[in-house]
Amino acid sequence: MAATMKDSQSDVQVTFEDQEKINRFARTNARLMDFKEELAAKEKELENLTDAEEELVLAEADSSTVPYQIGEVLVEMSLEEAQASLEKAKELCLEEIAALKVKAEAHKETLNNLKTLLYAKFGTSINLDLDDES
């Protein structure tokens, strides 16, 4: 993320409040990038949980118990317990994904508001390009 002032002969003065807005823009953008990374990890986790559910369906005829990972430990569970645990984990993952999307949207809105204010004052003298525009 770049929030820089061009080094030209400009008569616009950067006040303390302007600098605070620029700093807030940078912090908010950094948090947005963190949310996007966390969202990608949660979506991958959801994909893994879905794959595990599909594997359980295939394993139903093979055995009455299956290994289930809890943290770093594998435990034996019945198929029903494993399916219930996977469903619960998927629901939690979906809730976390939804919460992250809400937070990301709020940060995007804040960034857009700050961009509007800063570009209105500084015009092309400031560059508020985002690293990951999406």
Side-chain angles (χ1 to χ4, degrees):
M1 193 286 311
T4 58
M5 300 294 292
K6 290 185 179 175
D7 199 18
S8 64
Q9 297 294 334
S10 178
D11 57 355
V12 178
Q13 295 295 317
V14 179
T15 64
F16 177 76
E17 290 80 18
D18 296 332
Q19 188 60 52
E20 287 295 311
K21 289 176 187 170
I22 292 168
N23 292 344
R24 184 172 177 215
F25 181 90
R27 286 189 310 270
T28 303
N29 188 55
R31 280 190 224 119
L32 178 60
M33 294 302 115
D34 291 343
F35 287 142
K36 286 182 178 183
E37 288 174 14
E38 194 174 340
L39 184 58
K42 286 293 177 187
E43 287 172 342
K44 179 65 177 164
E45 180 181 338
L46 181 61
E47 182 181 319
N48 290 341
L49 290 168
T50 302
D51 290 346
E53 264 187 336
E54 291 170 5
E55 289 295 322
L56 274 183
V57 170
L58 297 174
E60 277 189 24
D62 295 340
S63 67
S64 61
T65 62
V66 292
Y68 190 89
Q69 185 173 355
I70 300 176
E72 294 183 17
V73 177
L74 283 176
V75 295
E76 289 287 323
M77 286 187 169
S78 71
L79 287 171
E80 295 80 23
E81 290 174 320
Q83 287 171 332
S85 291
L86 280 173
E87 189 59 39
K88 191 174 187 180
K90 276 181 64 176
E91 288 173 11
L92 179 62
C93 194
L94 286 169
E95 289 172 7
E96 291 171 349
I97 287 171
L100 285 169
K101 285 182 178 181
V102 167
K103 289 178 184 179
E105 283 305 314
H107 279 68
K108 285 180 186 178
E109 186 177 324
T110 299
L111 288 173
N112 287 333
N113 291 339
L114 288 168
K115 280 173 83 170
T116 300
L117 292 171
L118 291 167
Y119 277 131
K121 179 164 184 178
F122 297 107
T124 59
S125 299
I126 192 167
N127 180 11
L128 299 172
D129 290 333
L130 302 178
D131 286 340
D132 183 19
E133 196 74 54
S134 58

